[in-house]
Amino acid sequence: MTKQQTSEDAAKNELPGRPGPLPPPVSEPTEPTDPLPPKPDQDGPETVSPTGQATDADQARVAQSGAYLTTAQGTRLPDTDHSLKAGARGPVLLQDHHLREKITHFDHERIPERVVHARGAAAHGIFQGYGAAGEVCKAAFLAKDVETPVFVRFSTVLGSRGSADTVRDTRGFATKFYTEEGTFDLVGNNIPVFFIQDALKFPDVIHAGKPHPDREIPQAQSAHDTFWDFVSLHTEATHHTLWNMSDRGIPRSFRMMEGFGVHTFRLVNAVDESALVKFHWKPKLGVHSLVWEEAQMISGMDPDFHRRDLFDAIESGAFPQWELGIQVFPDTPEQTFEGIDLLDPTKIVPEERSPVQPIGLLTLNANTKNYFAETEQVAFHPGHLVPGIDVTDDPLLAGRLFSYLDTQISRLGGPNFGQIPINRPHAPVNDMLRDGMHQSAVHTGVAPYRPNSLDGGCPFLAGSDAAAYIETPVKVPEASKVREAPASFSDHFSQPRLFWLSMTPPEREHIIAAYTFELNKCYEQAVKERTLKVLANIDPQLCEQVAAGLGLSAPAATVPLVTSEPSPALSQMGGTWPTDGRVIGIIADPSSDLDGVRTARQAVLDAGMVPLVVAPAGGSLDPKGEPIAVQRTFATARSVEFDALLLAGVPEPGADAYGARDSKAGAPVLEGPDPRILLMITEAYRHGKAIGGWSDATQLLETAGIGLDEPGIAADGSSAAVVETLTRALGEHRAWDRFPAAL
Ligand code: HDE
């Protein structure tokens, strides 16, 4: 504690949930104080050095908590605000070593952003095996109750590091398991198929999706000519593109996304039998999305929406969870399942035909402490495998096995990125890789080669009895070298049609709207017409409706339409889900039923959700009584921030509502409720959100033209009863009947 503070002052200064006093709010401390203790949920997994020892790098993690500012070499500094000058108004001297060090380091603070998946957010957690995979996989971390530290990074694909979170795009879902047998990375997406079947085309699809090279627009989106030019010419992208145009392209939260390994992998059990599998992550909160208008508004209102949502949920103890599951297929030479080519990454196997079997639970329970050190520097690689998990000959996967290692060398500045704390394995490392840029280990010994006698022959090679990684001896058919794909890879439309037929009417409506939006953003008529030809091969109704929105006529299909059994598992609608961490806006003003607001706030908290009080001005709603803190004002809040609204009164137009003032300029005085609140209610209604109100607040619903007995409207009873009804409605995510149901 500083000298200036008395203990009474300090007690006043304590923040809920943060132990210990804060320094005085305005003035800078003049003597060293103890740093604030880290928050309990911010401890990441411990890391060890390549030699298993704690290193100076670990000590450097607490760099800023020392008493005195120093140079990078540890020399204490008396001043960091004034350059060394010849007199107060004179020239700055070149000899100012502190100025040069500080600026030089700053000049090199950035590293190249990822060439794809540049925008991301991550968290630490624990994976717990169920012991259910033993029959197919010997990996130790899948055994019952084994707990493995993990680090998970979610991302968008196309946008730059500073782009918005809620753009229409695929999301990355990359998990690093720090297992005792080495690190396993499951580098997946929230969409189970990919645009291309061969890695050789990856630069093409990414160049087409990235902003136009001449003026670098548009940022972080597919709604432009080059993307649609490519995917309409290259029809193996049809399935992935259709998923992007569906609600999957605009998730409500990282916490509410599925994850997929996409490729088929090969698992091996303790007696060396192999099976083919597809990996799935199933979120405990269900799979939910934004609606497009919401997603666009959020991009402006809160471009960090998903990042904030993940961080806040973990901070508040609403730890997101996913079950890891596998679909298991026999490892036959054909590598197909019921006619579906398992090596084709544009194909799924419907869950109804091969159920997903849960094998473990992932819980994200700690936020990062330093974005750059952890989220930016983490390096995933599909080739980081552990005994029991092997790859297949999916040609897309083969290219990835090369690319991920290669890209880190330029992104992280050399081949030693594995020594960066977040990338260090938790298993002991005993390699003979030496030197190179940013080598931070001090290797001893003279014989980093094998065989050797000078270092006692160490290290020795392991056999399978000592958990060595042994590639499965899969038979490779005798063949000629060719640049070809299997015939089954040319079926580009049967599975997009399966997806379309599995969607409910509101979901189809969203898909039609998404294609119509994106293509209307294109300038080239030929691109639009060619895309309609692709859509005709999925479904005539889809094609006709999009054509109508473009003002074009719908072409006929050029392939026979295959109608297979729909897969209900592909739809996001139906079921009820936990509402943990959902955000409820409580709209009130000082004249509202404030006891009702208090009860509602508590009921929302008790339900594991987040109440945010929205009022005309900041501070407290009831400064004289028991305070009710205001988190948002009418000027700062928009409906898109909330999953549901609670109305506690009829706020009159505040002085800052345009036109509300009795202006000298003669602007009309607004009558009735504050227009911003009416807008909020009508937006929330249009987006299918639950809305509740009690006492006279129900008038607001009537003024907005909303029926009190409609589904998703809770207007009956006390504030606590309203919260209960609203929570039940929120369990279904949206009031789906508000969306067109004609399709
Ligand atoms: Fe990636 N991908 N990718 N990708 N990918 C990268 O690696 C690549 C593909 C995925 O949070 C890069 O470290 C090729 C499929 C995720 O750090 C790069 C091909 C899937 C992330 C790369 C693919 C993914 C990446 C860029 C086609 C889902 C972010 C930076 C053969 C299964 C990981 C980096 C993170 C990142 C290459 C296709 C998922 C360039 C060549 C399919 C989640 O190496």
Side-chain angles (χ1 to χ4, degrees):
M1 189 182 304
T2 64
K3 274 188 183 162
Q4 298 103 316
Q5 277 184 305
T6 63
S7 53
E8 209 176 283
D9 288 340
K12 274 191 231 149
N13 231 354
E14 225 160 272
L15 274 186
R18 192 197 281 261
L22 282 175
V26 193
S27 61
E28 204 180 338
T30 52
E31 284 186 17
T33 59
D34 287 337
L36 289 175
K39 293 179 203 161
D41 63 349
Q42 288 195 334
D43 286 328
E46 287 307 314
T47 52
V48 289
S49 75
T51 53
Q53 305 295 313
T55 63
D56 291 346
D58 294 318
Q59 298 307 317
R61 292 196 302 173
V62 292
Q64 226 147 280
S65 63
Y68 294 109
L69 180 70
T70 70
T71 66
Q73 303 305 313
T75 308
R76 288 182 184 175
L77 285 164
D79 184 319
T80 188
D81 296 333
H82 302 94
S83 303
L84 191 65
K85 286 179 270 182
R89 296 165 67 87
V92 173
L93 303 178
L94 186 61
Q95 75 179 75
D96 186 346
H97 62 94
H98 176 47
L99 170 71
R100 280 184 287 115
E101 182 189 72
K102 191 170 173 180
I103 299 285
T104 306
H105 195 280
F106 170 77
D107 289 345
H108 299 274
E109 269 177 15
R110 298 286 170 271
I111 58 172
E113 64 175 31
R114 288 167 174 79
V115 57
V116 284
H117 295 264
R119 168 97 187 153
H124 297 276
I126 287 290
F127 178 80
Q128 194 173 21
Y130 289 164
E135 243 177 67
V136 285
C137 186
K138 64 182 172 191
F141 79 101
L142 294 175
K144 191 165 169 50
D145 294 337
V146 171
E147 292 199 344
T148 302
V150 295
F151 188 67
V152 179
R153 183 174 181 272
F154 303 103
S155 47
T156 50
V157 179
L158 287 176
S160 294
R161 198 180 137 183
S163 56
D165 279 344
T166 60
V167 295
R168 184 178 290 284
D169 197 356
T170 308
R171 300 298 185 288
F173 189 143
T175 308
K176 193 175 274 299
F177 299 80
Y178 302 90
T179 92
E180 287 176 4
E181 297 178 309
T183 298
F184 168 53
D185 288 348
L186 184 52
V187 197
N189 279 343
N190 77 327
I191 288 180
V193 288
F194 206 63
F195 292 107
I196 51 173
Q197 295 161 322
D198 189 314
L200 193 54
K201 286 187 274 197
F202 193 59
D204 300 305
V205 62
I206 298 302
H207 289 171
K210 284 274 187 183
H212 291 209
D214 51 356
R215 56 192 84 170
E216 216 190 25
I217 49 175
Q219 178 58 245
Q221 49 196 291
S222 50
H224 57 107
D225 285 293
T226 55
F227 177 78
W228 289 99
D229 184 32
F230 177 78
V231 296
S232 60
L233 286 167
H234 176 79
T235 49
E236 74 196 41
T238 305
H239 197 186
H240 191 159
T241 310
L242 179 57
W243 277 74
N244 280 127
M245 295 305 114
S246 80
D247 291 347
R248 304 277 180 151
I250 42 172
R252 155 66 181 85
S253 157
F254 293 137
R255 301 179 292 130
M256 299 165 204
M257 292 188 327
E258 269 177 301
F260 302 91
V262 177
H263 316 280
T264 301
F265 288 79
R266 178 172 277 110
L267 298 188
V268 181
N269 67 14
V271 290
D272 291 337
E273 292 161 340
S274 65
L276 300 178
V277 300
K278 283 188 176 286
F279 287 109
H280 295 246
W281 288 112
K282 296 275 182 194
K284 289 271 184 186
L285 298 179
V287 188
H288 306 297
S289 291
L290 300 168
V291 294
W292 181 228
E293 185 181 58
E294 242 185 326
Q296 291 181 90
M297 287 167 67
I298 296 171
S299 287
M301 275 287 297
D302 184 8
D304 308 302
F305 187 73
H306 284 154
R307 182 179 289 192
R308 190 187 309 284
D309 169 275
L310 180 69
F311 195 98
D312 286 354
I314 294 175
E315 191 79 353
S316 71
F319 298 148
Q321 290 188 313
W322 289 259
E323 270 190 326
L324 180 64
I326 44 176
Q327 288 179 296
V328 183
F329 319 104
D331 190 357
T332 58
E334 298 75 37
Q335 301 176 86
T336 57
F337 177 77
E338 296 182 0
I340 300 170
D341 194 332
L342 297 173
L343 296 192
D344 179 352
T346 67
K347 304 276 177 4
I348 59 158
V349 176
E351 290 182 31
E352 292 75 11
R353 288 165 70 179
S354 171
V356 176
Q357 304 167 28
I359 60 170
L361 181 68
L362 164 70
T363 306
L364 293 183
N365 56 13
N367 280 312
T368 51
K369 290 190 191 112
N370 183 292
Y371 185 89
F372 179 82
E374 300 173 274
T375 313
E376 194 59 10
Q377 289 197 312
V378 67
F380 294 95
H381 176 24
H384 290 161
L385 297 163
V386 290
I389 306 181
D390 203 345
V391 297
T392 57
D393 290 330
D394 173 342
L396 191 68
L397 180 55
R400 295 182 72 203
L401 292 171
F402 163 72
S403 173
Y404 287 68
L405 193 55
D406 180 51
T407 199
Q408 315 305 349
I409 293 172
S410 62
R411 190 171 78 81
L412 296 171
N416 290 314
F417 58 86
Q419 296 179 5
I420 295 171
I422 193 68
N423 294 325
R424 289 182 201 161
H426 290 205
V429 173
N430 206 10
D431 61 35
M432 287 196 277
L433 311 172
R434 289 294 178 271
D435 307 345
M437 294 273 200
H438 314 302
Q439 177 58 259
S440 62
V442 183
H443 294 107
T444 53
V446 295
Y449 55 85
R450 264 196 58 83
N452 77 71
S453 66
L454 297 184
D455 277 348
C458 292
F460 298 103
L461 299 179
S464 59
D465 52 339
Y469 186 90
I470 295 173
E471 282 78 10
T472 323
V474 183
K475 273 212 160 40
V476 180
E478 209 169 287
S480 313
K481 287 185 193 172
V482 286
R483 290 188 184 273
E484 281 176 12
S488 70
F489 277 39
S490 51
D491 164 20
H492 298 166
F493 298 110
S494 66
Q495 288 222 340
R497 179 155 176 77
L498 164 75
F499 184 81
W500 170 258
L501 294 176
S502 305
M503 293 292 104
T504 56
E507 289 170 311
R508 288 186 188 177
E509 170 73 24
H510 291 172
I511 292 172
I512 290 166
Y515 274 106
T516 311
F517 177 94
E518 299 251 326
L519 291 166
N520 268 324
K521 287 271 188 172
C522 293
Y523 294 92
E524 293 298 331
Q525 197 70 356
V527 168
K528 298 182 197 186
E529 286 169 3
R530 205 185 306 125
T531 306
L532 287 176
K533 287 187 184 159
V534 173
L535 298 188
N537 289 342
I538 302 175
D539 188 82
Q541 197 181 17
L542 167 66
C543 181
E544 278 157 25
Q545 303 249 356
V546 175
L550 298 176
L552 296 171
S553 49
T558 54
V559 297
L561 300 186
V562 183
T563 298
S564 49
E565 198 57 31
S567 165
L570 296 175
S571 165
Q572 293 178 226
M573 270 182 65
T576 49
W577 303 93
T579 55
D580 306 23
R582 294 293 192 131
V583 182
I584 314 297
I586 305 180
I587 294 160
D589 72 358
S591 70
S592 302
D593 164 24
L594 297 183
D595 280 335
V597 172
R598 286 188 190 92
T599 315
R601 246 193 112 258
Q602 195 53 49
V604 169
L605 282 170
D606 292 345
M609 302 187 293
V610 182
L612 294 181
V613 174
V614 190
S620 170
L621 257 186
D622 189 6
K624 292 196 185 121
E626 193 191 326
I628 303 173
V630 174
Q631 282 93 9
R632 300 285 187 278
T633 66
F634 292 176
T636 60
R638 283 300 290 270
S639 68
V640 291
E641 235 187 312
F642 312 112
D643 290 294
L645 293 181
L646 277 172
L647 313 172
V650 188
E652 288 186 1
D656 57 341
Y658 294 125
R661 261 173 293 236
D662 191 3
S663 133
K664 286 189 191 112
V669 178
L670 289 183
E671 285 182 7
D674 192 295
R676 292 166 297 187
I677 298 309
L678 269 185
L679 176 64
M680 203 178 275
I681 294 169
T682 48
E683 266 172 10
Y685 181 81
R686 199 166 65 248
H687 298 155
K689 292 179 179 172
I691 309 175
W694 67 93
S695 68
D696 64 338
T698 50
Q699 289 167 26
L700 268 178
L701 291 168
E702 280 161 0
T703 313
I706 298 169
L708 298 187
D709 50 3
E710 287 187 38
I713 302 299
D716 204 9
S718 66
S719 64
V722 165
V723 172
E724 211 182 305
T725 319
L726 181 113
T727 310
R728 264 201 310 277
L730 199 48
E732 294 173 26
H733 185 54
R734 289 185 200 276
W736 289 106
D737 65 319
R738 287 185 214 154
F739 294 95
L743 293 168

PDB file of all heavy atoms in Angstrom, residues 95-106:
ATOM      1  N   GLN A  95      23.285  10.232 -28.967  1.00  0.00           N
ATOM      2  CA  GLN A  95      23.824   9.349 -27.934  1.00  0.00           C
ATOM      3  C   GLN A  95      22.752   8.868 -26.949  1.00  0.00           C
ATOM      4  O   GLN A  95      23.042   8.075 -26.062  1.00  0.00           O
ATOM      5  CB  GLN A  95      24.943  10.059 -27.148  1.00  0.00           C
ATOM      6  CG  GLN A  95      24.421  11.093 -26.157  1.00  0.00           C
ATOM      7  CD  GLN A  95      25.538  11.751 -25.385  1.00  0.00           C
ATOM      8  OE1 GLN A  95      26.243  12.592 -25.939  1.00  0.00           O
ATOM      9  NE2 GLN A  95      25.717  11.366 -24.149  1.00  0.00           N
ATOM     10  N   ASP A  96      21.496   9.315 -27.104  1.00  0.00           N
ATOM     11  CA  ASP A  96      20.454   8.906 -26.159  1.00  0.00           C
ATOM     12  C   ASP A  96      20.122   7.422 -26.379  1.00  0.00           C
ATOM     13  O   ASP A  96      19.249   7.066 -27.162  1.00  0.00           O
ATOM     14  CB  ASP A  96      19.204   9.781 -26.341  1.00  0.00           C
ATOM     15  CG  ASP A  96      18.160   9.479 -25.278  1.00  0.00           C
ATOM     16  OD1 ASP A  96      18.300   8.437 -24.586  1.00  0.00           O
ATOM     17  OD2 ASP A  96      17.221  10.270 -25.148  1.00  0.00           O
ATOM     18  N   HIS A  97      20.848   6.563 -25.658  1.00  0.00           N
ATOM     19  CA  HIS A  97      20.689   5.123 -25.860  1.00  0.00           C
ATOM     20  C   HIS A  97      19.298   4.658 -25.458  1.00  0.00           C
ATOM     21  O   HIS A  97      18.739   3.746 -26.026  1.00  0.00           O
ATOM     22  CB  HIS A  97      21.766   4.346 -25.077  1.00  0.00           C
ATOM     23  CG  HIS A  97      21.664   4.562 -23.597  1.00  0.00           C
ATOM     24  ND1 HIS A  97      20.960   3.715 -22.793  1.00  0.00           N
ATOM     25  CD2 HIS A  97      22.166   5.539 -22.797  1.00  0.00           C
ATOM     26  CE1 HIS A  97      21.025   4.165 -21.534  1.00  0.00           C
ATOM     27  NE2 HIS A  97      21.746   5.261 -21.518  1.00  0.00           N
ATOM     28  N   HIS A  98      18.670   5.313 -24.463  1.00  0.00           N
ATOM     29  CA  HIS A  98      17.326   4.880 -24.038  1.00  0.00           C
ATOM     30  C   HIS A  98      16.301   5.203 -25.125  1.00  0.00           C
ATOM     31  O   HIS A  98      15.455   4.366 -25.457  1.00  0.00           O
ATOM     32  CB  HIS A  98      16.965   5.571 -22.715  1.00  0.00           C
ATOM     33  CG  HIS A  98      15.566   5.260 -22.275  1.00  0.00           C
ATOM     34  ND1 HIS A  98      15.056   3.972 -22.267  1.00  0.00           N
ATOM     35  CD2 HIS A  98      14.544   6.060 -21.847  1.00  0.00           C
ATOM     36  CE1 HIS A  98      13.785   4.000 -21.860  1.00  0.00           C
ATOM     37  NE2 HIS A  98      13.466   5.254 -21.603  1.00  0.00           N
ATOM     38  N   LEU A  99      16.411   6.384 -25.705  1.00  0.00           N
ATOM     39  CA  LEU A  99      15.506   6.745 -26.804  1.00  0.00           C
ATOM     40  C   LEU A  99      15.648   5.733 -27.942  1.00  0.00           C
ATOM     41  O   LEU A  99      14.666   5.222 -28.472  1.00  0.00           O
ATOM     42  CB  LEU A  99      15.840   8.152 -27.315  1.00  0.00           C
ATOM     43  CG  LEU A  99      15.140   8.570 -28.612  1.00  0.00           C
ATOM     44  CD1 LEU A  99      13.654   8.808 -28.392  1.00  0.00           C
ATOM     45  CD2 LEU A  99      15.765   9.831 -29.201  1.00  0.00           C
ATOM     46  N   ARG A 100      16.895   5.437 -28.312  1.00  0.00           N
ATOM     47  CA  ARG A 100      17.103   4.536 -29.452  1.00  0.00           C
ATOM     48  C   ARG A 100      16.593   3.130 -29.149  1.00  0.00           C
ATOM     49  O   ARG A 100      15.926   2.515 -29.954  1.00  0.00           O
ATOM     50  CB  ARG A 100      18.581   4.520 -29.875  1.00  0.00           C
ATOM     51  CG  ARG A 100      18.939   5.732 -30.745  1.00  0.00           C
ATOM     52  CD  ARG A 100      20.370   5.678 -31.238  1.00  0.00           C
ATOM     53  NE  ARG A 100      21.302   5.961 -30.154  1.00  0.00           N
ATOM     54  CZ  ARG A 100      22.172   5.102 -29.661  1.00  0.00           C
ATOM     55  NH1 ARG A 100      22.262   3.881 -30.150  1.00  0.00           N
ATOM     56  NH2 ARG A 100      22.977   5.452 -28.674  1.00  0.00           N
ATOM     57  N   GLU A 101      16.846   2.655 -27.929  1.00  0.00           N
ATOM     58  CA  GLU A 101      16.383   1.297 -27.585  1.00  0.00           C
ATOM     59  C   GLU A 101      14.862   1.220 -27.586  1.00  0.00           C
ATOM     60  O   GLU A 101      14.264   0.301 -28.134  1.00  0.00           O
ATOM     61  CB  GLU A 101      16.919   0.899 -26.202  1.00  0.00           C
ATOM     62  CG  GLU A 101      16.507  -0.510 -25.811  1.00  0.00           C
ATOM     63  CD  GLU A 101      16.841  -0.841 -24.362  1.00  0.00           C
ATOM     64  OE1 GLU A 101      16.182  -0.326 -23.442  1.00  0.00           O
ATOM     65  OE2 GLU A 101      17.772  -1.646 -24.161  1.00  0.00           O
ATOM     66  N   LYS A 102      14.241   2.240 -26.980  1.00  0.00           N
ATOM     67  CA  LYS A 102      12.771   2.215 -26.851  1.00  0.00           C
ATOM     68  C   LYS A 102      12.098   2.274 -28.231  1.00  0.00           C
ATOM     69  O   LYS A 102      11.179   1.510 -28.527  1.00  0.00           O
ATOM     70  CB  LYS A 102      12.332   3.404 -25.980  1.00  0.00           C
ATOM     71  CG  LYS A 102      10.881   3.383 -25.541  1.00  0.00           C
ATOM     72  CD  LYS A 102      10.630   4.466 -24.484  1.00  0.00           C
ATOM     73  CE  LYS A 102       9.170   4.619 -24.130  1.00  0.00           C
ATOM     74  NZ  LYS A 102       8.953   5.669 -23.124  1.00  0.00           N
ATOM     75  N   ILE A 103      12.591   3.189 -29.079  1.00  0.00           N
ATOM     76  CA  ILE A 103      11.977   3.344 -30.404  1.00  0.00           C
ATOM     77  C   ILE A 103      12.291   2.145 -31.297  1.00  0.00           C
ATOM     78  O   ILE A 103      11.429   1.661 -32.035  1.00  0.00           O
ATOM     79  CB  ILE A 103      12.449   4.648 -31.085  1.00  0.00           C
ATOM     80  CG1 ILE A 103      12.036   5.862 -30.243  1.00  0.00           C
ATOM     81  CG2 ILE A 103      11.916   4.763 -32.504  1.00  0.00           C
ATOM     82  CD1 ILE A 103      10.586   6.237 -30.310  1.00  0.00           C
ATOM     83  N   THR A 104      13.529   1.649 -31.221  1.00  0.00           N
ATOM     84  CA  THR A 104      13.881   0.510 -32.075  1.00  0.00           C
ATOM     85  C   THR A 104      13.008  -0.690 -31.733  1.00  0.00           C
ATOM     86  O   THR A 104      12.470  -1.365 -32.606  1.00  0.00           O
ATOM     87  CB  THR A 104      15.368   0.109 -31.880  1.00  0.00           C
ATOM     88  OG1 THR A 104      16.161   1.261 -32.091  1.00  0.00           O
ATOM     89  CG2 THR A 104      15.780  -0.998 -32.833  1.00  0.00           C
ATOM     90  N   HIS A 105      12.835  -0.931 -30.437  1.00  0.00           N
ATOM     91  CA  HIS A 105      12.009  -2.084 -30.060  1.00  0.00           C
ATOM     92  C   HIS A 105      10.589  -1.884 -30.538  1.00  0.00           C
ATOM     93  O   HIS A 105       9.974  -2.787 -31.110  1.00  0.00           O
ATOM     94  CB  HIS A 105      12.053  -2.315 -28.549  1.00  0.00           C
ATOM     95  CG  HIS A 105      11.532  -3.680 -28.204  1.00  0.00           C
ATOM     96  ND1 HIS A 105      10.192  -3.952 -28.127  1.00  0.00           N
ATOM     97  CD2 HIS A 105      12.178  -4.854 -28.005  1.00  0.00           C
ATOM     98  CE1 HIS A 105      10.024  -5.240 -27.879  1.00  0.00           C
ATOM     99  NE2 HIS A 105      11.214  -5.807 -27.799  1.00  0.00           N
ATOM    100  N   PHE A 106      10.097  -0.684 -30.354  1.00  0.00           N
ATOM    101  CA  PHE A 106       8.733  -0.377 -30.798  1.00  0.00           C
ATOM    102  C   PHE A 106       8.585  -0.600 -32.310  1.00  0.00           C
ATOM    103  O   PHE A 106       7.604  -1.180 -32.777  1.00  0.00           O
ATOM    104  CB  PHE A 106       8.404   1.071 -30.425  1.00  0.00           C
ATOM    105  CG  PHE A 106       7.131   1.556 -31.034  1.00  0.00           C
ATOM    106  CD1 PHE A 106       5.908   1.176 -30.499  1.00  0.00           C
ATOM    107  CD2 PHE A 106       7.148   2.375 -32.153  1.00  0.00           C
ATOM    108  CE1 PHE A 106       4.725   1.602 -31.074  1.00  0.00           C
ATOM    109  CE2 PHE A 106       5.959   2.800 -32.727  1.00  0.00           C
ATOM    110  CZ  PHE A 106       4.748   2.414 -32.187  1.00  0.00           C
TER     111      PHE A 106
END
